[in-house]
Amino acid sequence: MGTVSRRRGIAPFLGLCVLAGILVAGTLAPVAIGAGVLSNQVSDSVDAISADLVHAEPPLVTTVTDRNGGTIATLYSQYRIPVTPAQISPAMKAAIVDIEDRRFYSEGGVDPQGMLRAAVHNSSGGNLQGASTLTQQYVKNYLVNVVDRNDKAAQQRDQEDSLARKLREAKMAVQLAQTVSKDDILADYLNVVEYTGTVYGVGAAAQAYFGTTADKLTVPQAALLAGMVNNPNIYNPYTHPDKALQRRNLVIDSMVQAHSIPASYGATAKATPLGLSGARPQAPASTCLGAAPDAGFFCAYAVRYLVQSGLTVDQIDTGGYTVKTTMDPHVSQVTKDAVNANVPTTQDGVANTFAVVQPGGDGHQVLAMVANRNYGTDPDQGETSTNIVADASNKFGAGSSFKIFTSAAAMVAGKAGLNTPLPNPFSDCFNPPNMNRYTHCYPVSNDGTSYPNPITLAAGLATSPNVAFVGLESQVGMPAVLDMARKLGLRNTMATNDAGSKPITDPSDARSKNPQYNEPQSQYFQNLLSFTLGNSPVSPLEMANVSATLMSGGMWCPPDPILSVTDRHGQPVALHQQACEQVIPPGVANTLEAGLSQDTTIGTSARAAQSAGWTHPDIGKTGTTQESESVAFVGGVDHYAVSSMVFADGPHPQEICPGTPVHLGNCGHGAFGGTVAAPPYFAAMNQLLAGQPDVPIPPPDPAYLDAHA
C-alpha cells in the first residue's frame, strides 16, 4: 500500500475567526433578516452544546453478562465501538478528509473560502450550498445522533436547509476548534457518524462490514466507509452495491488527487471488489431476543428489574453499561437441557418453565430462568416474546402448591400445626366468606377415597387432599391466606385476574386496570375458596421465590437478577432495590419446610423421585389443576429454590398427557405435578448436586407442631 500523508498546517485561529465573522455577518446577510438577529436567536444554546461537544459521550452498547463475565446479550439503539485517534488507520483518516474537507487541517472550524463561494451562490438566488467543514459536520451529526436522537422534530431542525442552522453549526465549530485538537475532532466525527441501519461510527462499521478493526482498514475499505457518510442509504453496499462501488472509487480518486496515495495504488484499489464480510452487516443483536436459548428470559427479566430499580430504557440502550447478572451459566444450561428433554421446544401447545433462586437472608439471587420455549419471535420454532418464566403467564395456575400459603397462614394464626388433625371427608361443600341467600356453597372432593379422615397437616402436605385444605382455608379466613401468598413471594402474581384473564404484571397498574383491585393484595380472591387449589394465573419465578423465602428462614427478598452495574468508565451505578423483609417467624418457616420434606419420599412425587434415583433431602409440593391443563412442582434442595411448571400455552388448551414427549390430548386422568413437572427437577438437581454432601432440612419448631389459637 502507498504512503498516506497528512496535512497539518493550521492558520492563526484569530484571523480565521475574524474572517469567518465577516463572512457570516456580511456576505450571508442578503439572504436573511440579518445575521445579528439570527446570531441572537441561536447564541443562547450554542455555548452549552459546544461545551458538551468537547466531552461528547455518544450512545454506546450495554453488555449483559452472566455471573462469570460471559456475555449473554448486547443492548443498544446505536451499535458503536468507540475508537481513539491512534486506533484509526491512516487510510481512513486520509479518505474522509480527502473526500469531505481537504482544508480540514488548515481551517479553524469553518472554511472561509467555501463559505464565500456558497455565499455568492446563495445570494444570487440559488439553493443554499453547504460549505460545511468536517468540524461542522461533526456538530451536525452530534446533534442529530446524540443530543436530539429521541426528538424527530429537533432532528429535522438540525438538518434543515436554513441559515440559522448553518450559523449555529459555524459558531459551534469555531468554538470547538479552539479547544479540541484536529486529531480528536476527526476521531469524534468518525465515532458519531451514521452508517447503515443501527451501525454508527467507524469502529462498528469496520467490524460489521469487514470483520476487522478500525486501525486495520485498508484503502479500499476506508474509501467505501468514507463514501457512505455522504448518504448511507444511497451508498449502502448491501442494497446498492453498484452505487457504493462508484462512490468508493470516487473517494480513491480524491485520495490520489490529494497525493495521499500513489496513482498506481489507486488503480489497484479501484480494481478490488467491495469485500464485505457477509450478506448483511454483521452487527450483534440489539435486544434480549438475541440472547442464547438458556438466557433470553433471564435477560428480559434483568432489563425489567433495572427499569424498576431506577434506570430508563434509553439509559440502558445508550449508556454503555456493563450489567453483571446473577445468572449461573452451568445451572442455566443444565435446567434448559432438563426441560427440553421433558417437553421439546417445538412441542405444540405445551410449555415447561423452570426457575432457580438462591435462598439467603440478605438477598435472593436468581440463578436460572429457562423454558422449553426460547425467547424469540418465531412461534413455528417454539419461540415466544412473552416472558413466560417471570410473568404470571401460566394462566391455569400452580394447583395444590398453593396449599403452602394456607398452611403457613394457619401456623402463624395458631389454627394448625404439623400434628393438627384436619377434617377430611371425601367431599364437602363450604360456605364462601361473604355468603348471602343468592350464594351457593363451594363443593369440593378429594381425588380418590384413600385419604384418612381426619388427616394431619403434615400428611396432607405430602398427599394433598383438597377437602382438608379448603376447610382449613375457610377456618383461617381468606384475608390471612391471601396476605400470606403476597408475603411469601407472590407480589406481582397477586395483581392478576382469576384463571383465564390477562395477567397484570405491574402491581401499580392494578387499581387503574380493574376496579376490583382496591389494595396491593388483590381483593378479587377474597370470596374464592378455590384459591388454595391454585387455579389462578401465577408467575413461575415468584413460586420459586416462595421456596426461597421458606429456605431463608422466612426472609422474603426480591428475586434479584443483578450482581453489579458499571458505567462506560467502570464506575458503579447505584440501583434502588426493594429491601428484604422477615415475613414469617423462622420457626414457622422451618416447620413448614419439615412438613414439605416428605413429598419426594412418601408423597405425590415419590414415585418419580424413586425412578430418578433421588436420595437428597429436600422440600417439595406438587400441583395439578382440575383439567390437568397445568401441573407444577415447587420445592428446593441445598441452596437451590425451584419451580418447574408444565402448562398449556397454545390457543386451544387441552389436557396435558404424560409420555415421551409430554403432549396435549385426551388421556383420561391426564398429567400430575409428580409425573410431569417433577422429573425435570430431579434430572437437573441430580446433575448439579453430584458429588456434593447433603444439606439437611431444618428440624420443626415444637411451638408449631400443634394448634394453639
Side-chain angles (χ1 to χ4, degrees):
M1 164 178 174
T3 302
V4 179
S5 64
R6 176 185 290 171
R7 298 163 304 288
R8 290 182 174 273
I10 300 178
F13 177 72
L14 180 60
L16 284 176
C17 284
V18 172
L19 180 56
I22 294 173
L23 288 168
V24 171
T27 61
L28 294 183
V31 296
I33 61 174
V37 176
L38 285 174
S39 178
N40 291 335
Q41 292 175 346
V42 300
S43 291
D44 290 343
S45 62
V46 165
D47 291 341
I49 298 177
S50 295
D52 289 340
L53 284 164
V54 176
H55 305 289
E57 290 190 335
L60 294 185
V61 176
T62 287
T63 302
V64 183
T65 77
D66 60 34
R67 68 189 305 116
N68 297 333
T71 298
I72 62 175
T74 50
L75 311 174
Y76 61 87
S77 60
Q78 298 179 5
Y79 175 46
R80 179 179 281 107
I81 302 174
V83 291
T84 64
Q87 294 171 321
I88 303 172
S89 74
M92 186 68 231
K93 295 177 182 179
I96 198 69
V97 169
D98 292 344
I99 193 62
E100 292 292 330
D101 183 9
R102 291 189 186 179
R103 285 187 288 274
F104 171 69
Y105 287 105
S106 61
E107 69 209 10
V110 295
D111 179 4
Q113 297 180 42
M115 292 183 71
L116 181 59
R117 183 184 67 251
V120 171
H121 176 83
N122 297 338
S123 64
S124 65
N127 294 330
L128 288 177
Q129 289 189 350
S132 294
T133 65
L134 273 175
T135 308
Q136 289 172 270
Q137 290 182 44
Y138 167 56
V139 170
K140 176 182 176 181
N141 278 275
Y142 177 79
L143 293 173
V144 172
N145 297 333
V146 180
V147 176
D148 298 324
R149 65 182 183 275
N150 296 322
D151 188 337
K152 291 189 179 299
Q155 285 183 324
Q156 290 178 347
R157 291 193 296 271
D158 296 335
Q159 301 174 86
E160 65 186 5
D161 232 359
S162 71
L163 184 58
R165 191 266 293 176
K166 292 181 180 296
L167 178 59
R168 181 173 69 162
E169 279 183 8
K171 284 189 172 184
M172 293 169 67
V174 170
Q175 292 181 2
L176 187 64
Q178 190 175 12
T179 54
V180 181
S181 72
K182 288 292 185 179
D183 274 357
D184 285 336
I185 290 174
L186 185 59
D188 288 341
Y189 169 77
L190 287 172
N191 274 323
V192 81
V193 72
E194 178 184 0
Y195 287 92
T196 304
T198 59
V199 178
Y200 287 77
V202 68
Q207 181 62 47
Y209 299 151
F210 304 113
T212 189
T213 53
D215 63 317
K216 294 182 173 61
L217 287 169
T218 64
V219 167
Q221 293 171 340
L224 176 66
L225 298 183
M228 286 182 66
V229 300
N230 180 267
N231 193 316
N233 292 323
I234 291 179
Y235 301 121
N236 184 331
Y238 297 96
T239 57
H240 303 289
D242 293 339
K243 291 182 179 179
L245 182 63
Q246 293 173 6
R247 178 70 177 172
R248 184 204 70 173
N249 290 346
L250 177 63
V251 175
I252 294 173
D253 287 340
S254 295
M255 296 176 74
V256 172
Q257 294 168 8
H259 306 294
S260 295
I261 59 174
S264 59
Y265 186 79
T268 301
K270 289 168 64 175
T272 61
L274 291 177
L276 302 170
S277 60
R280 60 179 60 87
Q282 302 302 297
S286 62
T287 70
C288 291
L289 293 171
D294 66 334
F297 298 112
F298 195 110
C299 176
Y301 175 67
V303 170
R304 182 192 302 173
Y305 192 90
L306 290 174
V307 172
Q308 293 172 342
S309 300
L311 295 180
T312 66
V313 172
D314 183 66
Q315 285 176 313
I316 295 169
D317 286 345
T318 63
Y321 299 114
T322 297
V323 179
K324 190 172 187 178
T325 73
T326 58
M327 184 184 123
D328 186 314
H330 180 56
V331 175
S332 292
Q333 190 59 61
V334 168
T335 53
K336 174 64 171 172
D337 291 343
V339 296
N340 283 357
N342 195 46
V343 186
T345 300
T346 56
Q347 182 65 41
D348 184 38
V350 184
N352 188 169
T353 61
F354 203 108
V356 184
V357 177
Q358 185 177 68
D362 57 355
H364 293 174
Q365 293 184 6
V366 183
L367 302 182
M369 293 175 59
V370 300
N372 66 316
R373 305 297 191 211
N374 295 329
Y375 191 58
T377 58
D378 187 351
D380 291 337
Q381 296 301 313
E383 296 178 347
T384 176
S385 57
T386 298
N387 196 331
I388 60 175
V389 187
D391 296 343
S393 52
N394 178 357
K395 64 181 182 180
F396 301 107
S400 292
S401 60
F402 269 38
K403 292 170 183 174
I404 293 173
F405 309 127
T406 301
S407 302
M411 286 184 182
V412 169
K415 301 287 187 180
L418 287 185
N419 297 334
T420 301
L422 306 177
N424 188 40
F426 170 71
S427 64
D428 206 339
C429 202
F430 297 91
N431 293 331
N434 299 316
M435 189 173 185
N436 57 46
R437 62 195 181 100
Y438 301 106
T439 307
H440 298 289
C441 65
Y442 176 55
V444 184
S445 60
N446 289 327
D447 185 16
T449 59
S450 60
Y451 295 101
N453 180 22
I455 188 172
T456 65
L457 179 58
L461 285 170
T463 59
S464 204
N466 294 332
V467 175
F469 280 94
V470 174
L472 183 61
E473 179 185 49
S474 181
Q475 180 186 2
V476 174
M478 290 303 302
V481 174
L482 296 174
D483 186 51
M484 184 58 66
R486 184 194 67 82
K487 284 180 176 178
L488 290 180
L490 300 192
R491 305 296 172 105
N492 291 335
T493 291
M494 293 305 291
T496 65
N497 290 327
D498 199 14
S501 298
K502 184 178 180 181
I504 299 172
T505 55
D506 184 353
S508 65
D509 289 344
R511 183 191 299 265
S512 62
K513 290 184 178 179
N514 193 323
Q516 297 178 95
Y517 300 126
N518 301 316
E519 304 291 341
Q521 169 189 309
S522 170
Q523 298 298 303
Y524 184 83
F525 301 106
Q526 290 288 359
N527 210 39
L528 296 178
L529 293 172
S530 60
F531 180 80
T532 196
L533 303 182
N535 65 346
S536 53
V538 65
S539 160
L541 175 62
E542 287 195 321
M543 284 303 291
N545 202 40
V546 167
S547 291
T549 300
L550 298 179
M551 297 169 71
S552 302
M555 181 70 75
W556 174 88
C557 301
D560 188 353
I562 306 298
L563 279 178
S564 65
V565 179
T566 53
D567 65 18
R568 67 179 70 199
H569 305 296
Q571 297 302 307
V573 176
L575 299 177
H576 305 290
Q577 298 167 285
Q578 290 179 278
C580 297
E581 304 171 26
Q582 186 73 45
V583 292
I584 57 174
V588 172
N590 293 343
T591 304
L592 191 52
E593 278 195 86
L596 294 169
S597 66
Q598 299 183 80
D599 197 275
T600 60
T601 56
I602 62 172
T604 54
S605 61
R607 182 174 297 179
Q610 184 178 11
S611 297
W614 182 256
T615 60
H616 304 285
D618 66 347
I619 64 171
K621 185 73 192 76
T622 61
T624 304
T625 58
Q626 187 170 356
E627 303 297 331
S628 290
E629 291 169 320
S630 175
V631 295
F633 178 89
V634 177
V637 59
D638 201 338
H639 62 287
Y640 300 112
V642 173
S643 80
S644 172
M645 297 189 186
V646 181
F647 54 93
D649 71 337
H652 306 290
Q654 296 179 16
E655 183 179 49
I656 295 174
C657 300
T660 307
V662 175
H663 59 282
L664 296 182
N666 295 304
C667 45
H669 219 308
F672 290 95
T675 61
V676 168
Y681 163 80
F682 297 128
M685 294 300 131
N686 264 333
Q687 185 172 344
L688 292 173
L689 298 176
Q692 300 296 317
D694 286 337
V695 176
I697 302 300
D701 187 328
Y704 298 101
L705 292 177
D706 298 291
H708 56 269

